[in-house]
Amino acid sequence: MLIIYTLFSLTCFVYSSALRSSELHIHSGGRALSALQRLLNFFESNPKNLNVDGLYGLRIAQGQLQALEQMFKSAESKRTHLTDHNQIVSMLLTQTERIANISLDALVSEQTSYLNQFFLVASKPFVIEYENRRIDKNFIVLSQRSSQFDEDDSDQCFVQLFESSRRVDIQKCTISESCWSMLTDQIGKDYRLTHQLLWFLIAKNIGCINQKFATQHLNRLEDLFCTNIYEDAKLNFVNHINQDLFLEQVLLCSMIGYQDFLRSDWFHAVLTWQHPEYDCFSEESEQSEYRSRNRRHLLVEQEMDHGCLAHKSGLAAGLLATYSRVFLQEY
Ligand SMILES: *[C@@H]1O[C@H](CO)[C@@H](O)[C@H](O)[C@H]1NC(C)=O
């Protein structure tokens, strides 16, 4: 039996089986792609308005869309169950790359040291391995964790990592002892914790973690980080607070394969946060008493047109692309 799902005006996936849960996944994947498309159109209306953080979110989206496109290409030759009939994924991938290119040029011309430091991840798609797995409750840290951290210190650990891969006089992938102990401590919470994980994901992305032992060690750390990030994310969700942080939490752990973060109640909430008129992510979706208080720490937030937020919208782009990739590959 051949069923054609028209998921939104521009796309249809042709699917030749009839499993219920598959239908749901395809439907969700389509909704995520549709939301992503609206968000990309917002970015494209003024791509020079993005900051480095927003651009990094787009680079994550680009990496996820690439993986999805790849899946469709190989599926065509092997299984041909699911076909991207109208090439919507390729189209969104090109659009993401186009916006990222314009945004990068604009940021380069501003010559900020912040871009120089993060150039390595802002200038190309962020590709990260996806490994299907679950959090492990045994890793929950029972003692009190702390969200306190010095943004400059944390920034320094990223800078050391980038410097070591750029400069010839330093051995690649070396960092100071103080950074190492900060990055591997088990008492982090909120942004402090997500940035510990982010540091390791970037280290892996630029080729600093490749031996078998290191990989096993990292897997354990990822279990530890994502299990506790999950606890933090649950609190944000039930208390209706910290949407920006919540997006970061769900993005980082779902893009490396933690299934627990793909909950449909979370997915549907994120969809409702998209601005109905401007299609971006702003503060309007948050209860007013929480606005501005808990904005992004490490990398600065920037307001775009219509009160849209660059960091929050960038994270949302990365997350919507991740949702599409995971839902459609797991169908
Ligand atoms: C983006 O920039 C890269 C590197 O300069 C280039 O290879 C690519 O064709 C550009 N893509 C688009 C869609 O403009």
Side-chain angles (χ1 to χ4, degrees), residues 179-219:
C179 271
W180 183 254
S181 67
M182 186 167 95
L183 290 162
T184 55
D185 78 28
Q186 310 200 348
I187 55 165
K189 189 177 164 63
D190 296 343
Y191 286 109
R192 171 169 164 171
L193 181 54
T194 50
H195 283 95
Q196 288 178 292
L197 175 60
L198 180 61
W199 189 93
F200 280 98
L201 298 188
I202 289 176
K204 186 149 89 176
N205 172 266
I206 66 179
C208 286
I209 293 154
N210 35 32
Q211 276 106 36
K212 189 154 176 284
F213 173 77
T215 305
Q216 278 169 1
H217 191 64
L218 179 62
N219 280 345

Side-chain angles (χ1 to χ4, degrees), residues 7-43:
L7 296 166
F8 55 102
S9 55
L10 275 162
T11 187
C12 61
F13 294 100
V14 181
Y15 180 61
S16 60
S17 175
L19 289 167
R20 283 275 147 206
S21 71
S22 301
E23 282 177 35
L24 189 63
H25 272 156
I26 295 173
H27 182 72
S28 299
R31 288 193 67 187
L33 282 176
S34 165
L36 177 61
Q37 182 176 48
R38 288 165 49 213
L39 179 56
L40 289 176
N41 288 342
F42 160 75
F43 282 135

Side-chain angles (χ1 to χ4, degrees), residues 59 62 93-102 104-105 123:
R59 293 304 189 183
Q62 202 183 342
L93 178 57
T94 308
Q95 187 179 12
T96 306
E97 192 177 316
R98 197 166 56 224
I99 301 165
N101 280 3
I102 297 170
L104 182 66
D105 285 348
S123 56

Side-chain angles (χ1 to χ4, degrees), residues 271-315:
L271 292 179
T272 67
W273 298 345
Q274 185 165 25
H275 197 288
E277 191 179 347
Y278 305 119
D279 296 328
C280 66
F281 288 73
S282 69
E283 279 188 334
E284 270 186 50
S285 54
E286 305 216 39
Q287 290 163 17
S288 53
E289 65 264 39
Y290 292 116
R291 292 184 190 174
S292 299
R293 257 207 307 176
N294 237 319
R295 275 198 184 177
R296 178 77 166 90
H297 295 248
L298 176 65
L299 313 177
V300 197
E301 184 59 282
Q302 174 170 306
E303 200 161 303
M304 308 170 76
D305 297 343
H306 315 298
C308 297
L309 298 172
H311 183 264
K312 190 175 183 184
S313 299
L315 285 175

